Amino acid sequence: MIIRLLGPLELTGPNGAVQLSSAGQRTLVARLALNPGETVPRSALVDALWSDEAPATATKTLHSLLARLRGQIRDAGLGELITTREPGYVLNAPADTVDAARFEALVAAARHSDEPLKSAKMLREALSLWTGDPLADCRPGEWTRQESARLTDLRMDATEELMECSLALGEHAAVAPLVNALVEQHPFRERLWEQLMIALYRCGRQAESLGAFHRARGVLVDELGIEPGPRLRDLEQAVLTADPRLDLPERTPVPVRGNLPADRSSFVDRPETDHVADLIRRHRLVTLIGVGGVGKTRLALHVARGEQPPDGVWLVELAALRDRALVPHAVAEAMGVVDQTGRGQLSVLTEFLAAKDALLVLDNCEHVVDHCAVLVDTLLRVAPNLRVIATSRRALRVYGEQVMSIAPLSVPYPAATLFAQRADAAIPGSFVITAANEQAVTDLCRRLDGIPLAIEMAALRVRALTPAQLLERLDDRFRVLTDGGRTALPQHQTLLATMEWSYDLCSPREQLLWARASVFAGSFDLAAAESVCSDDALTADFMFDAVDGLVDKSVLQREEHAGVARYRLLETMRQFGQTRLRAGDDEPRLKRRHRDWYAGVAVQGERAWFTPRQVATVAAMSTERGNLRAALEYSLTTPGEAEAGLRLAAALWFYWVGCGRFAEGRHWLNWALSLETEPSRARCKTLWVNGYLATLQGNTSAVPALLEACRAEALVLGDEDADVFATYVQGAAAVFDDDLPLGATLLAEADRRHAELGHMDSNVVMARVALAITVAFGGELDRAADICTKARAVCEEHGELWARAFALYVLAFVAMGRGDVVEARELALTSLRIKEKFNDLLGIAVSVELLALISVITGSASHAAMLLGGADRVWQSVGLPLFGSANFAASHDQCVALCRQALGPEGYDEHFARGAAMTVTSVVAAAQS
């Protein structure tokens, strides 16, 4: 359900939008929705509709409006959304379904955060909820005017606070034009004028900053007859005297404290809670074991939320992982550890965590238990302050492990409490335990053996049945399952019986979807379900109905990513669906269709990479990574499918290269190449992509064999495309090895042949950029600038950012060579901001190196030394610093020499160490200050 008030009013339910035909109905919805879950008196509703001029028939008309409104709401599938609660009415909706409530909550949370980056993110999310003027289509009146004005003021306050956060993050160049436009629309808001002056001053535009003050004074004096306030006048003096307090202060990096998700439903306490909390405080590894659905994950997360280690609490979800070798990758991914070198991910993690005081929660370890055991044992040995909570159906068998078997909930309580809470959540305000139903609830929970998942599934049925009716039907189901001889089902049989019962209550189409959706690894969207799961028995036309039915029954969990609804099966539900799928002969067909769909997703991503959808493609691939991995593993473990695996692994080059997934990319590419040794176009592409990744890792010694094989096979096959891309990669590797003549020759050849073959994509642009940096190293600055200016124009024409950022870096390098420091800094900063969007560590590292040189040349040696330390920190996660190239290192060496000359050896080392201790995020922020 969605209720939108911050623009055209919308009320949407499972069956579509509620058609609110009158301004009166829209006003009632708005008045109730602004206080969801709270009783709004009838008098307040009358005031909202008629202000002080209510007719004599106001109460009767109100009842009539509400009666029609409630009928329309029921038709939209929202049930009793509006109910009577004396002395008025209540809208039974969670606050986060109302955009205005969510907006206010996000703004409040942003104000309470002392981390500008976090606050800015929340404020951007809050402001993105606005689609127009609030309450504009409601009935005009005093309440509407006041509430609209209040929300509009909040919007402007939030906008100002976002600008404040952006300034604190060093984004003054971006803030200046935004605030300049805002002061035109809101000329009497002095805080905006202050922000404009600060942004302009930090951009080095002192005269324009003073000009902004005079503009502000002119507006305030001429229009309002008042002088600017003391803050604005003080700011004018500070700009005049270049007060150092106006400079962006160096921020102490704030470490990320973890990634635990918010608790989406209430936690019913259980006796083991305190014991598990005590165990993890006294021991370093606690494994919670038990049958599926017994509540291991909920308990682990609840305990973890009570811990506050300095370096955070990190959840690693392993249920969607199929390839055991990727367990370390999953942990690194969850913790935000990006390493593009050729080192094993376990080595990367041990180095990263060695000095950390953190808590890891490894969830659903049972299917990768051996690899989890190796990982945990290794990490605990090298990281003395690391602790781990694991959930699994069997122990890890690691030294020092404390194994806790999680029992079902006690009956009657807390099992009955869980039932009551979930039943009430199904229809808010509809269920409480009373003397009349308490025994039935108790017997029901006992029959379900106190298993939380089984109880939650049964509780959903109170929409249609009483607890007594539920108990009767459950008894019948259990008798069928055990041929009437049941006295006490073992716990796993109880859960299976409940699953079977829920399965039987689904429609035939819903049953098919439940089984077929088990092939997805993680979440999926409706389009994927329609493609993978549909056939004559479950046509695409009925897929939404089946999805909606399973969401309504809580078999599928609904999520939202980038405004798109996605769905996932809880792991226990997925395993049940998998057994149903395997009971027939449909699993191979479904897995192949799953692979084919995600191979298509990869190809679409490859095509979208050279378009304005490039940044969105990064997010899409990240969302789909579980399914992409499952598709790759299916291809590489199923006889006869290896060539499809080659094509898929190679098609994802943009993900491996552009999103910094060098190590994982080479894992899949090497595996695919080891299986498929016969020459083919797919193999040729896989070879040059693998060589590309090895080059970017600085592992140029591995490149010749890969590219020689590629070019030899391409010659046999007549594959000119693969041959020219291999030529480009070979040229880039030569430049990294400081063989500039060979590099220039190969890159020029690649550029010429790309043009002949009609190629145009990010790699074609990168070949030109690589040629430009090569000739720039040779002193041909004008030629390098000409090449990169044309490459930049091509990128801008196509909306491409990733390669464009490298072109900007080379143009910055050229500007430095010409002595234009201001131009160089703007270009390097723009390049850095783009690379930050992609988490492209290589691009970040080279940009920070150049900005360090600019800093020392412009008189800020301490800042430059700190940036050098930060760049060194980033290079450790990329590979060889500056690719081990003397040409790339020349400006770095110049920067170091100038810093040491200005600061002295000890001063240089001190500032360098400060930078080296920063996170990548902090390094990027510091480079922009």
Side-chain angles (χ1 to χ4, degrees):
M1 179 182 68
I2 300 172
I3 304 175
R4 302 188 197 279
L5 306 178
L6 305 178
L9 195 144
E10 294 178 31
L11 172 56
T12 306
N15 299 336
V18 179
Q19 297 303 314
L20 302 172
S21 55
S22 72
Q25 285 186 333
R26 291 191 288 272
T27 304
L28 286 176
V29 170
R31 183 64 185 86
L32 291 165
L34 281 169
N35 300 91
E38 298 179 17
T39 302
V40 180
R42 291 182 184 87
S43 59
L45 294 175
V46 169
D47 286 345
L49 287 168
W50 293 286
S51 298
D52 295 330
E53 300 177 1
T57 59
T59 302
K60 183 177 179 180
T61 305
L62 172 64
H63 289 160
S64 176
L65 281 170
L66 280 168
R68 288 198 298 273
L69 178 60
R70 289 160 114 178
Q72 292 170 265
I73 286 171
R74 281 191 290 270
D75 292 343
L78 291 169
E80 299 302 320
L81 179 64
I82 298 175
T83 56
T84 303
R85 185 192 293 168
E86 293 301 328
Y89 297 89
V90 63
L91 186 124
N92 299 302
D96 62 2
T97 62
V98 182
D99 62 355
R102 179 157 177 75
F103 168 75
E104 293 193 57
L106 284 166
V107 172
R111 287 170 177 165
H112 282 92
S113 172
D114 57 0
E115 300 174 27
L117 193 64
K118 186 176 179 181
S119 295
K121 183 178 180 181
M122 288 188 284
L123 289 165
R124 286 192 181 97
E125 183 181 350
L127 291 165
S128 71
L129 297 171
W130 286 74
T131 59
D133 294 330
L135 311 181
D137 46 2
C138 290
R139 183 174 288 180
E142 188 62 26
W143 174 81
T144 303
R145 285 191 294 273
Q146 288 180 357
E147 196 59 35
S148 176
R150 184 185 72 85
L151 289 169
T152 302
D153 282 345
L154 277 177
R155 182 185 190 181
M156 276 310 304
D157 290 344
T159 302
E160 288 179 342
E161 286 164 26
L162 176 58
M163 295 301 102
E164 206 72 43
C165 290
S166 299
L167 286 171
L169 291 168
E171 298 172 0
H172 33 268
V175 167
L178 292 174
V179 182
N180 193 47
L182 286 169
V183 295
E184 295 296 326
Q185 301 169 35
H186 308 278
F188 306 134
R189 297 183 75 102
E190 291 195 30
R191 189 180 183 189
L192 287 175
W193 287 107
E194 293 170 20
Q195 291 169 342
L196 177 59
M197 290 177 66
I198 292 170
L200 291 169
Y201 179 82
R202 288 182 181 167
C203 289
R205 297 153 66 180
Q206 184 181 23
E208 291 178 62
S209 178
L210 291 169
F213 172 80
H214 293 301
R215 284 167 57 200
R217 184 179 181 278
V219 168
L220 293 170
V221 171
D222 293 345
E223 300 291 333
L224 301 180
I226 60 173
E227 288 287 339
R231 283 172 55 92
L232 207 51
R233 295 198 302 272
D234 290 346
L235 184 56
E236 181 204 19
Q237 288 302 310
V239 172
L240 280 168
T241 59
D243 192 323
R245 288 175 296 179
L246 289 180
D247 295 334
L248 182 70
E250 290 185 2
R251 296 186 297 114
T252 303
V254 179
V256 178
R257 298 297 180 185
N259 67 340
L260 288 187
D263 212 346
R264 297 174 66 181
S265 58
S266 57
F267 178 78
V268 177
D269 205 3
R270 50 200 303 168
E272 307 101 306
T273 305
D274 290 340
H275 184 42
V276 175
D278 182 60
L279 280 176
I280 197 58
R281 286 165 191 158
R282 292 190 294 111
H283 302 278
R284 299 182 58 214
L285 171 61
V286 176
T287 302
L288 308 183
I289 65 171
V291 298
V294 81
K296 302 183 295 293
T297 299
R298 286 298 302 273
L299 179 57
L301 291 178
H302 182 74
V303 170
R305 288 188 182 99
E307 299 299 302
Q308 294 183 324
D311 295 306
V313 182
W314 302 89
L315 171 64
V316 185
E317 295 175 304
L318 298 170
L321 201 63
R322 301 288 182 268
D323 184 355
R324 298 176 180 183
L326 294 180
V327 169
H329 290 258
V331 177
E333 202 169 66
M335 300 190 75
V337 180
V338 180
D339 187 277
Q340 300 173 347
T341 68
R343 295 181 297 166
Q345 288 294 292
L346 186 54
S347 298
V348 171
L349 280 172
T350 55
E351 180 181 302
F352 177 77
L353 288 168
K356 295 287 191 295
D357 184 348
L359 173 63
L360 278 183
V361 180
L362 302 180
D363 190 34
N364 284 301
C365 297
E366 53 273 352
H367 62 301
V368 287
V369 68
D370 294 338
H371 283 67
C372 282
V374 171
L375 174 108
V376 170
D377 184 57
T378 303
L379 293 181
L380 292 179
R381 288 175 186 275
V382 301
N385 294 316
L386 178 69
R387 293 174 293 152
V388 178
I389 299 176
T391 73
S392 179
R393 296 191 186 180
R394 53 195 176 113
L396 303 187
R397 299 188 181 279
V398 171
Y399 178 77
E401 178 182 30
Q402 302 296 306
V403 179
M404 175 95 182
S405 181
I406 304 305
L409 296 175
S410 298
V411 179
Y413 295 97
T417 302
L418 176 64
F419 181 91
Q421 288 185 358
R422 298 300 182 262
D424 186 65
I427 304 178
S430 67
F431 188 86
V432 292
I433 294 178
T434 65
N437 65 23
E438 184 174 19
Q439 189 58 52
V441 171
T442 298
D443 291 345
L444 186 61
C445 292
R446 183 174 291 111
R447 179 50 59 102
L448 295 172
D449 287 338
I451 298 176
L453 181 57
I455 292 170
E456 291 183 343
M457 292 169 66
L460 291 169
R461 305 299 173 195
V462 298
R463 295 167 176 167
L465 301 170
T466 67
Q469 290 173 314
L470 281 170
L471 181 61
E472 180 182 348
R473 282 158 176 74
L474 207 58
D475 273 340
D476 291 342
R477 180 62 194 165
F478 281 6
R479 277 193 292 272
V480 169
L481 288 175
T482 57
D483 298 323
R486 181 189 190 279
T487 55
L489 280 175
Q491 289 159 9
H492 69 278
Q493 289 181 286
T494 298
L495 184 60
L496 176 61
T498 310
M499 291 277 192
E500 294 274 9
W501 177 60
S502 288
Y503 184 81
D504 287 348
L505 292 173
C506 293
S507 70
R509 291 191 182 104
E510 290 168 353
Q511 290 176 348
L512 279 175
L513 179 58
W514 187 343
R516 293 174 179 181
S518 67
V519 300
F520 291 104
S523 66
F524 58 93
D525 60 18
L526 185 61
E530 289 172 343
S531 178
V532 175
C533 302
S534 64
D535 60 10
D536 291 342
L538 176 59
T539 61
D541 292 342
F542 288 98
M543 187 60 66
F544 176 76
D545 292 336
V547 167
D548 188 53
L550 291 183
V551 169
D552 187 58
K553 295 174 178 66
S554 287
V555 174
L556 283 177
Q557 307 297 306
R558 184 186 182 281
E559 306 171 350
E560 192 168 314
H561 294 268
V564 176
R566 294 182 66 85
Y567 311 93
R568 77 167 65 235
L569 287 165
L570 292 178
E571 181 59 13
T572 308
M573 302 281 199
R574 192 194 67 79
Q575 290 173 4
F576 175 82
Q578 191 175 58
T579 62
R580 283 285 175 169
L581 187 63
R582 288 176 176 171
D585 58 359
D586 228 12
E587 186 180 26
R589 182 176 70 93
L590 265 294
K591 284 194 168 183
R592 193 177 306 111
R593 292 183 72 173
H594 175 274
R595 189 276 314 282
D596 291 345
W597 172 257
Y598 286 101
V601 168
V603 171
Q604 289 172 9
E606 186 177 23
R607 290 171 181 161
W609 192 250
F610 197 61
T611 73
R613 302 194 304 277
Q614 196 174 53
V615 174
T617 299
V618 174
M621 293 300 110
S622 180
T623 300
E624 298 289 12
R625 61 180 175 267
N627 284 305
L628 290 168
R629 287 168 173 169
L632 282 163
E633 186 175 11
Y634 167 81
S635 300
L636 301 180
T637 58
T638 304
E641 300 292 343
E643 185 172 354
L646 278 174
R647 288 196 299 271
L648 177 52
L652 286 166
W653 68 264
F654 65 95
Y655 183 53
W656 313 134
V657 173
C659 304
R661 306 281 177 178
F662 297 173
E664 183 175 349
R666 296 206 69 199
H667 165 79
W668 294 113
L669 293 162
N670 284 329
W671 187 0
L673 288 168
S674 71
L675 295 174
E676 192 70 14
T677 57
E678 290 297 314
S680 67
R681 287 178 176 267
R683 180 176 158 82
C684 285
K685 184 173 181 179
T686 306
L687 284 163
W688 74 253
V689 171
N690 205 3
Y692 196 178
L693 288 171
T695 299
L696 295 174
Q697 286 180 319
N699 186 12
T700 52
S701 62
V703 174
L706 291 166
L707 297 184
E708 285 169 15
C710 174
R711 301 187 77 174
E713 293 180 19
L715 181 63
V716 171
L717 296 167
D719 187 349
E720 291 189 74
D721 292 340
D723 186 69
V724 69
F725 281 113
T727 301
Y728 153 55
V729 175
Q730 188 179 356
V735 175
F736 286 2
D737 285 338
D738 287 326
D739 190 342
L740 297 185
L742 177 61
T745 300
L746 290 169
L747 291 168
E749 179 190 347
D751 186 45
R752 175 182 57 78
R753 291 180 61 201
H754 279 313
E756 289 173 356
L757 294 169
H759 292 169
M760 182 48 67
D761 64 13
S762 297
N763 285 324
V764 175
V765 175
M766 284 300 295
R768 295 177 182 175
V769 172
L771 177 61
I773 193 67
T774 305
V775 301
F777 285 152
E780 297 181 69
L781 297 183
D782 290 343
R783 183 184 172 200
D786 181 59
I787 294 170
C788 270
T789 299
K790 291 176 181 176
R792 176 185 182 178
V794 170
C795 290
E796 290 172 349
E797 177 186 350
H798 290 272
E800 207 276 0
L801 287 173
W802 178 75
R804 177 187 169 198
F806 281 115
L808 293 172
Y809 162 76
V810 177
L811 287 171
F813 182 89
V814 169
M816 282 296 291
R818 291 169 167 170
D820 191 344
V821 177
V822 174
E823 175 74 4
R825 187 172 190 276
E826 285 303 312
L827 288 165
L829 280 172
T830 306
S831 176
L832 177 63
R833 291 184 187 117
I834 294 173
K835 286 306 180 185
E836 187 181 16
K837 295 177 188 291
F838 296 90
N839 201 23
D840 185 338
L841 297 188
L842 191 154
I844 288 171
V846 295
S847 296
V848 172
E849 289 274 0
L850 192 54
L851 286 164
L853 178 59
I854 292 169
S855 286
V856 72
I857 286 175
T858 54
S860 185
S862 59
H863 186 68
M866 181 182 68
L867 292 183
L868 286 174
D872 185 69
R873 164 71 182 83
V874 178
W875 280 116
Q876 291 174 29
S877 298
V878 176
L880 277 173
L882 295 156
F883 318 108
S885 161
N887 287 293
F888 276 96
S891 57
H892 168 87
D893 294 342
Q894 178 190 2
C895 185
V896 172
L898 290 172
C899 287
R900 287 186 177 277
Q901 180 181 344
L903 301 171
E906 291 184 4
Y908 172 79
D909 290 343
E910 178 188 344
H911 290 288
F912 183 93
R914 283 179 55 213
M918 288 181 171
T919 63
V920 174
T921 301
S922 300
V923 172
V924 171
Q928 296 181 68
S929 64

